[in-house]
Amino acid sequence: MNNLKLGVLVVSAHDLTVPKDGRGAASAFVELHFDNQTFQTVTKERDANPVWNQSFYFNISDPKRLPNLTLEAHVYHFKEDSSKSFLGKVCLPVRSLSVPYSLQHHPLRKKGILFNSRVKGELGLKVFVIDGDGHDLPMNSGMHDEIESQQPQPEPESKPESSKEDDLSSSSDYLLKETNPYLGRGQIVQGRLVPGDVSTYDLVETMHYLFVLIVKARLDFALNSEDVAGSLKTYLEIKVGNCNAITKHVERKQNPEWNEVFAFAKDYNLEPSALDVVVKDDDQFFGSLHFDLKEFTTRVPPDKPGAPKWYQIEDKDVEIKKKGELKLAVWHGTQADVAFPYAWHSDASLPPHVSSDADAHIRAKVYHSPRLWYIRVKVIEAHDLVASDKSRVLEAYAQVMIGNQCLKTKIFSQPRKEETETAQSPILNPVWNEDLMFVAAQPFGDDQHLMVSVEDRVSPDKDETLGKVAIALNSIEKLTDDQSISSQWFTLETSIMSDSMKGKQQSKDKDEKLSSRIHLRVCLEGGYHALDEPTNYSSDLQPVATQIWKPCIGVIELGVLNASELLPMKTREGKDTSDAYCVAKYGHKWVRTRTITDSLSPKFNEQHTWDVYDLHTVLTVGVFDNSRVGNHANGNRDEKFGKVRIRISTLESGRVYTFSYPLISLRPSGVKKTGELHLAVRFSYTSLVNMMFLYSQPLLTVMQQDMLYDQAVLMVADSLGLEKEVVQYTSSNAEESDVWSVRRSKANVFRLMSVFSGLVGVAQWFGEVRVWKNPLTTALVHVLFVMIISSPQLILPTVFLYMFVTGIWNFQYRPRYPAHMDTKLSQADSVLPDELDEELHTLPTSTLDLPDDIVRMRYDRLRSIAGRFQNMMGDVATELERIQEILRWPDSHANAMFAIFCLVAAVVFYFTPFQVVVLVAGFYYMRHPKYRSKMPVPSALVNFFQRLPAKTDYML
């Protein structure tokens, strides 16, 4: 690929920073820097939202270095004195560009941490790669492999497989098992690489394929009017050994086009080693081509793809003139090939009785969830409300709706004044001062509105609308910091009133010129992250406003290797089988592997990459059965095998974690293992300073997140192309259910007992000291007591020094396995059938044969209250476990920081008098408010503590 080029389309910029020269808007231009080359766009005079639509092409000096290069786009303001001022920049590592040909808006960033310049806005770019022939190559992991890989990965002669003893207990099936697979660069042994061949596709096993690209044909036959009408179809059959594939059926014409790629896995026994392509016209044999597979070369990235060639179609049974030509290309390759994501795969083929429309549901895809905004509506007051019936007192409340979200304020009423001879309908000016929170998904359409109405409670079962107003979502002001949003008065429309009320209102307006109004403060909260996942298992904590994003701190790489021992979910041709696929979710990016049909041990070997912005995040991988392939017992609902959660903060940087995770499901019959999922995971940080700094930063959440969580999940499910049950299961958290569970309650009680066991042990030890069970120990305690009383300034240094030494000692016992669901800790292995039936029972109760609705209501209420109580116990256990784990190294970064802090504190407190410490702490706590933050931001110590892991990761 000597002529490989990187193409950059500079599309536009939005909301650029206003320059300091007072011109009101920036005269912006963009400088592009890549591989020691620079290009510059034209300057857009005085435009805060400039549009360029200019394309530039960079020569790539060394294609092997492409994944390690970075594209930089600098935005400048052109001054009148011909100088320039910096407005922001975008840095894009090539390996992070995983979405082909897609327009991406990137937030502009500062030059560095030490620069105090105010930067805001976004820059829209399209980045792509073209070869010497001008063909576009998608920027994805396959492209990276095509560029970096120099030789095909040889298949290892033997692979170690984990053996099972016959007398192995069933409980061991639920434990993690470390594997030592051969991946792209060699064998992984205990997280370390035994080098092999070089490849960027290094977290999956190398799979070899035969690729067949069908482009078009020139067929020699006469057409009549019936043919032109489209009644006859032309298609191709491709046969490789015992594998068959069929192209799409195109309308009969002399120059049909397909442009389809087929990948035949070499796991199949290809005998004989030949390729046959049969041309069929209206299901009748037209001609064929025969190839020997040995004549095709192996394509190793960064080799260029072979150009398709024309081959003559032959009919061996009829010796006549040629029947036409077919343009195609054939080559050997791996899943690192650029054509792999777009190919039809023989290991993911559709059964013959299934419609080809399901092909779109078995291919690998990448999805991006929408940006969710919190909408804060403060309903302040209303003026000049008039009831239709002047004989009654108004009982007014405000109702706010966005889609299917509806919230109401409290009811406001006031006594009506005494009527006079010219009495009119009473006028009410209610005051509410209530904050209401909603969630909405961007982009906001022109038909999306915030509906605010004022209702009058006429009777317990009847409300009357006094007026309403519609506010377009795309007109609401966006708030990204602690600045204040001004309130506005809105006129309430009365078009929804009844005819009698309209007449009275019109008559009153003529006499008094009154119009009902409502006072609101509405804004889009961009400084928070709208959670569409459980709080403890969130994969994204970035605020929705991209201009205040923090820099990326690292990269998480996931290799989905294979699954094994899957339970059959359907029966096909008398055989129990499954059609499995995986879904991985982190941040805004969802990925779905291809569906492997008719297999209980599918091999995926697909690798994906995400940028990491916060360590307190979790990568989730779920395994599902595709209901759109074959006959499924549950119709179009995809059955779930289980899921795996991996907390980023518990991963050592640079280590490759290769484990077989048991897929565990809790069913009415008890806990059940539905299979195993083999993954390879690696986290690599890019900035150690930024990563450590995060531990002092607060988590961007709001108090109403639990109330809005369900709505956020539904919005994501509606906007993605994934099945709703897949999105909901991946984003759900059964461990925080508000339904009573004896099993979870017992598990939380045992967690608390485990935490307090240390204190109980200390109390028992001191009791033994008190009764002189061991005289030597008791004597030493007396000596230590005298030393403490005589030198109280040594208390704090001693405590911190003890914690430091304990932490360093426990480093050798730090967890080597990632956290996963523990059936013993969850009490799932000893749960009784009656307890399990109660836990899995629906709320509200629907199937119990209860004699009275009141009994059912009380039972459901008891379960709900008990569920909240058990969650409270779980929260307490979580906080105490964080204290307990702070010296046990579950999070090596946090534990190292705490150990260093303890050492420094011990030295400081040794040389600082205890009275001085207390004096400084007291004055700091009582400092003047002007020296405190205006925002109620938690302290760095609280933020650090909240980021520590707990045993919630082990809970089922």
Side-chain angles (χ1 to χ4, degrees):
M1 284 194 180
N2 296 328
N3 297 325
L4 200 66
K5 293 185 178 182
L6 182 78
V8 181
L9 174 61
V10 183
V11 181
S12 61
H14 302 284
D15 195 23
L16 294 178
T17 304
V18 177
K20 297 181 179 180
D21 54 12
R23 300 180 62 183
S27 298
F29 66 92
V30 180
E31 277 188 4
L32 299 174
H33 303 271
F34 181 79
D35 201 7
N36 298 321
Q37 303 166 62
T38 302
F39 288 105
Q40 179 177 317
T41 67
V42 298
T43 301
K44 295 295 182 178
E45 295 290 339
R46 298 188 180 184
D47 190 352
N49 300 284
V51 178
W52 291 281
N53 283 323
Q54 288 186 259
S55 298
F56 303 93
Y57 297 90
F58 294 89
N59 294 320
I60 300 175
S61 58
D62 187 357
K64 292 183 293 184
R65 294 178 55 246
L66 178 57
N68 299 321
L69 298 178
T70 299
L71 170 68
E72 293 189 5
H74 297 250
V75 183
Y76 292 99
H77 164 61
F78 185 80
K79 298 182 179 180
E80 294 180 352
D81 58 357
S82 299
S83 62
K84 61 183 181 180
S85 62
F86 181 78
L87 297 181
K89 71 174 182 178
V90 173
C91 296
L92 300 177
V94 174
R95 67 168 57 249
S96 68
L97 302 174
S98 58
V99 181
Y101 319 119
S102 174
L103 171 62
Q104 299 289 322
H105 288 89
H106 306 276
L108 295 175
R109 307 188 187 281
K110 300 179 182 180
K111 288 185 179 180
I113 299 177
L114 300 179
F115 291 87
N116 296 323
S117 59
R118 186 170 182 266
V119 172
K120 66 174 184 176
E122 295 179 337
L123 181 63
L125 300 173
K126 283 186 178 180
V127 185
F128 51 92
V129 169
I130 61 173
D131 58 16
D133 300 327
H135 297 126
D136 290 334
L137 301 177
M139 287 303 304
N140 53 20
S141 56
M143 182 64 213
H144 298 159
D145 300 334
E146 178 184 7
I147 294 169
E148 284 194 357
S149 178
Q150 297 299 311
Q151 297 180 2
Q153 172 68 32
E155 294 186 359
E157 297 180 357
S158 62
K159 298 183 180 181
E161 297 180 355
S162 57
S163 60
K164 297 184 179 180
E165 300 180 2
D166 296 335
D167 57 347
L168 192 64
S169 63
S170 60
S171 61
S172 64
D173 291 340
Y174 304 114
L175 301 179
L176 266 69
K177 303 169 186 175
E178 187 169 14
T179 59
N180 302 319
Y182 286 85
L183 303 182
R185 292 185 178 179
Q187 187 180 15
I188 303 296
V189 179
Q190 294 184 350
R192 304 304 173 189
L193 174 68
V194 179
D197 291 341
V198 177
S199 171
T200 56
Y201 235 54
D202 60 346
L203 289 187
V204 292
E205 298 180 16
T206 302
M207 300 180 67
H208 297 273
Y209 290 87
L210 175 71
F211 291 91
V212 181
L213 169 62
I214 305 296
V215 183
K216 56 184 176 180
R218 293 197 290 254
L219 305 180
D220 185 13
F221 51 66
L223 298 175
N224 52 43
S225 59
E226 182 181 12
D227 299 334
V228 177
S231 59
L232 302 180
K233 301 293 182 180
T234 304
Y235 64 95
L236 307 180
E237 286 186 2
I238 305 170
K239 301 178 181 180
V240 181
N242 59 352
C243 299
N244 297 330
I246 300 177
T247 66
K248 60 184 177 183
H249 292 54
V250 299
E251 183 179 346
R252 187 185 191 193
K253 54 185 178 180
Q254 291 182 331
N255 298 296
E257 294 187 8
W258 289 275
N259 291 314
E260 291 186 90
V261 183
F262 299 85
F264 296 91
K266 284 193 174 182
D267 288 344
Y268 292 87
N269 296 321
L270 304 181
E271 293 293 341
S273 58
L275 167 67
D276 292 292
V277 181
V278 180
V279 184
K280 289 195 174 182
D281 182 58
D282 193 27
D283 294 333
Q284 300 297 320
F285 178 83
F286 181 85
S288 65
L289 291 88
H290 181 81
F291 301 95
D292 187 348
L293 296 181
K294 296 180 180 179
E295 65 181 88
F296 300 114
T297 60
T298 300
R299 176 184 172 189
V300 181
D303 292 348
K304 293 182 179 180
K309 299 180 181 179
W310 288 99
Y311 296 90
Q312 182 174 335
I313 300 175
E314 302 176 351
D315 187 350
K316 298 181 180 179
D317 297 332
V318 181
E319 296 182 357
I320 57 176
K321 63 179 181 178
K322 70 174 185 176
K323 308 193 69 174
E325 293 178 306
L326 181 62
K327 189 176 185 179
L328 56 83
V330 184
W331 69 93
H332 299 278
T334 67
Q335 75 266 44
D337 198 285
V338 68
F340 182 80
Y342 312 101
W344 173 96
H345 301 278
S346 59
D347 58 356
S349 60
L350 292 173
H353 60 278
V354 178
S355 171
S356 60
D357 295 338
D359 180 66
H361 299 282
I362 69 171
R363 291 180 181 268
K365 286 187 178 181
V366 177
Y367 306 86
H368 290 273
S369 57
R371 295 168 63 186
L372 300 178
W373 290 79
Y374 284 136
I375 301 179
R376 186 185 297 273
V377 181
K378 184 169 186 178
V379 185
I380 303 174
E381 58 182 332
H383 280 184
D384 302 329
L385 299 181
V386 182
S388 59
D389 184 3
K390 64 181 181 180
S391 63
R392 56 176 300 274
V393 176
L394 279 173
E395 295 184 0
Y397 66 90
Q399 177 177 277
V400 185
M401 295 181 61
I402 299 179
N404 60 349
Q405 304 174 69
C406 180
L407 294 177
K408 301 176 182 179
T409 66
K410 62 181 182 293
I411 296 178
F412 182 91
S413 62
Q414 67 183 20
R416 179 171 56 88
K417 295 181 179 180
E418 294 295 334
E419 297 184 5
T420 64
E421 295 181 356
T422 58
Q424 302 291 333
S425 298
I427 300 175
L428 184 66
N429 299 322
V431 177
W432 294 288
N433 279 323
E434 291 190 37
D435 277 328
L436 306 177
M437 291 287 291
F438 302 87
V439 64
Q442 203 178 31
F444 305 129
D446 295 335
D447 57 342
Q448 291 181 284
H449 292 81
L450 173 73
M451 305 298 299
V452 183
S453 62
V454 179
E455 308 286 335
D456 179 24
R457 179 62 53 87
V458 178
S459 63
D461 57 350
K462 181 181 179 181
D463 295 335
E464 186 177 77
T465 303
L466 302 179
K468 64 188 301 185
V469 61
I471 305 173
L473 294 186
N474 52 22
S475 67
I476 300 177
E477 187 175 355
K478 296 178 180 178
L479 182 66
T480 58
D481 50 27
D482 58 347
Q483 64 186 5
S484 60
I485 297 294
S486 59
S487 58
Q488 300 181 43
W489 284 95
F490 297 89
T491 301
L492 294 172
E493 300 292 337
T494 57
S495 59
I496 39 71
M497 295 181 180
S498 62
D499 294 337
S500 60
M501 191 172 181
K502 285 181 182 179
K504 294 180 180 180
Q505 180 66 30
Q506 291 173 358
S507 175
K508 186 169 188 64
D509 290 344
K510 289 181 180 179
D511 296 337
E512 302 184 10
K513 304 298 183 182
L514 292 177
S515 61
S516 300
R517 298 180 302 164
I518 189 168
H519 194 191
L520 304 173
R521 182 181 290 115
V522 185
C523 67
L524 292 167
E525 296 276 7
Y528 296 104
H529 174 72
L531 285 175
D532 58 340
E533 302 167 292
T535 307
N536 291 337
Y537 301 105
S538 179
S539 64
D540 184 16
L541 296 174
Q542 288 283 77
V544 64
T546 57
Q547 58 266 34
I548 59 175
W549 279 13
K550 297 295 189 296
C552 172
I553 64 168
V555 175
I556 183 70
E557 300 169 274
L558 170 68
V560 184
L561 302 179
N562 57 75
S564 61
E565 303 177 13
L566 295 180
L567 290 181
M569 293 293 181
K570 61 187 69 168
T571 301
R572 183 178 296 129
E573 298 178 356
K575 174 186 175 183
D576 292 336
T577 186
S578 291
D579 306 306
Y581 68 93
C582 296
V583 171
K585 199 268 184 187
Y586 187 80
H588 289 279
K589 179 181 172 183
W590 297 66
V591 296
R592 184 185 72 181
T593 68
R594 67 191 188 281
T595 299
I596 307 299
T597 59
D598 289 323
S599 177
L600 297 179
S601 298
K603 292 185 177 181
F604 303 100
N605 284 307
E606 298 185 22
Q607 184 170 338
H608 302 279
T609 304
W610 291 266
D611 289 335
V612 177
Y613 293 90
D614 200 305
L615 286 178
H616 191 69
T617 49
V618 174
L619 169 67
T620 303
V621 185
V623 187
F624 304 88
D625 177 75
N626 198 326
S627 63
R628 288 163 177 78
V629 181
N631 298 322
H632 201 286
N634 291 323
N636 290 328
R637 184 176 179 84
D638 289 1
E639 281 294 313
K640 54 184 178 292
F641 289 100
K643 61 186 173 184
V644 175
R645 288 188 174 118
I646 301 173
R647 189 171 297 277
I648 308 301
S649 63
T650 61
L651 303 179
E652 297 179 11
S653 180
R655 177 184 174 184
V656 180
Y657 290 81
T658 54
F659 285 88
S660 174
Y661 294 83
L663 300 174
I664 304 173
S665 176
L666 200 61
R667 303 188 176 185
S669 58
V671 63
K672 193 172 186 64
K673 178 182 175 183
T674 58
E676 292 185 358
L677 179 62
H678 299 248
L679 300 176
V681 182
R682 176 174 57 205
F683 168 70
S684 304
Y685 64 80
T686 56
S687 174
L688 179 61
V689 175
N690 290 338
M691 182 177 66
M692 294 303 183
F693 178 72
L694 277 177
Y695 280 92
S696 65
Q697 298 303 298
L699 303 177
L700 298 177
T701 56
V702 295
M703 295 301 296
Q704 295 92 340
Q705 61 189 8
D706 293 335
M707 178 185 65
L708 301 174
Y709 164 72
D710 292 334
Q711 292 293 337
V713 172
L714 291 176
M715 288 183 181
V716 173
D718 289 337
S719 63
L720 292 179
L722 283 167
E723 288 68 25
K724 288 187 177 181
E725 62 270 15
V726 173
V727 176
Q728 292 175 345
Y729 176 71
T730 306
S731 302
S732 68
N733 184 18
E735 297 79 18
E736 292 186 354
S737 173
D738 286 336
V739 179
W740 169 259
S741 167
V742 176
R743 177 188 64 84
R744 287 200 301 269
S745 298
K746 290 194 299 185
N748 289 332
V749 169
F750 283 116
R751 290 170 61 193
L752 289 174
M753 293 174 59
S754 175
V755 171
F756 287 115
S757 62
L759 298 177
V760 173
V762 172
Q764 292 176 348
W765 171 82
F766 191 76
E768 294 175 355
V769 169
R770 183 169 176 267
V771 298
W772 293 75
K773 181 177 181 180
N774 189 328
L776 179 60
T777 302
T778 303
L780 291 176
V781 170
H782 280 76
V783 173
L784 180 62
F785 181 70
V786 172
M787 293 175 60
I788 291 176
I789 295 300
S790 59
S791 302
Q793 67 274 14
L794 297 178
I795 296 177
L796 289 179
T798 303
V799 171
F800 282 106
L801 185 61
Y802 173 78
M803 290 192 293
F804 170 75
V805 173
T806 303
I808 296 300
W809 175 260
N810 288 337
F811 176 77
Q812 58 184 323
Y813 304 110
R814 67 190 184 279
R816 291 295 185 177
Y817 284 16
H820 190 54
M821 298 176 184
D822 188 335
T823 56
K824 184 177 181 180
L825 180 66
S826 303
Q827 298 294 309
D829 55 352
S830 59
V831 63
L832 300 177
D834 179 67
E835 298 172 350
L836 195 58
D837 179 72
E838 182 183 26
E839 177 179 349
L840 300 179
H841 200 61
T842 58
L843 182 66
T845 299
S846 57
T847 58
L848 286 180
D849 186 14
L850 298 177
D852 198 300
D853 290 340
I854 297 179
V855 177
R856 181 182 294 111
M857 180 270 295
R858 291 178 178 175
Y859 176 66
D860 291 338
R861 181 175 59 187
L862 175 62
R863 294 179 63 194
S864 179
I865 295 174
R868 290 194 293 269
F869 176 72
Q870 79 176 14
N871 287 340
M872 182 186 67
M873 290 194 303
D875 293 339
V876 173
T878 298
E879 302 303 324
L880 294 176
E881 285 168 353
R882 286 171 175 165
I883 299 176
Q884 186 183 46
E885 296 294 318
I886 201 170
L887 297 176
R888 296 186 178 180
W889 296 86
D891 181 350
S892 57
H893 311 101
N895 290 111
M897 294 172 63
F898 183 75
I900 296 174
F901 168 77
C902 290
L903 179 61
V904 173
V907 175
V908 171
F909 287 126
Y910 179 79
F911 293 101
T912 304
F914 181 75
Q915 296 86 344
V916 175
V917 175
V918 175
L919 187 64
V920 172
F923 277 113
Y924 177 78
Y925 183 77
M926 296 181 292
R927 67 192 183 278
H928 195 275
K930 70 178 182 179
Y931 297 113
R932 305 178 189 178
S933 174
K934 296 181 180 180
M935 294 290 291
V937 180
S939 65
L941 181 61
V942 173
N943 297 329
F944 176 84
F945 179 75
Q946 289 180 343
R947 293 174 179 273
L948 295 176
K951 292 184 179 179
T952 53
D953 297 340
Y954 296 89
M955 292 296 293
L956 176 64

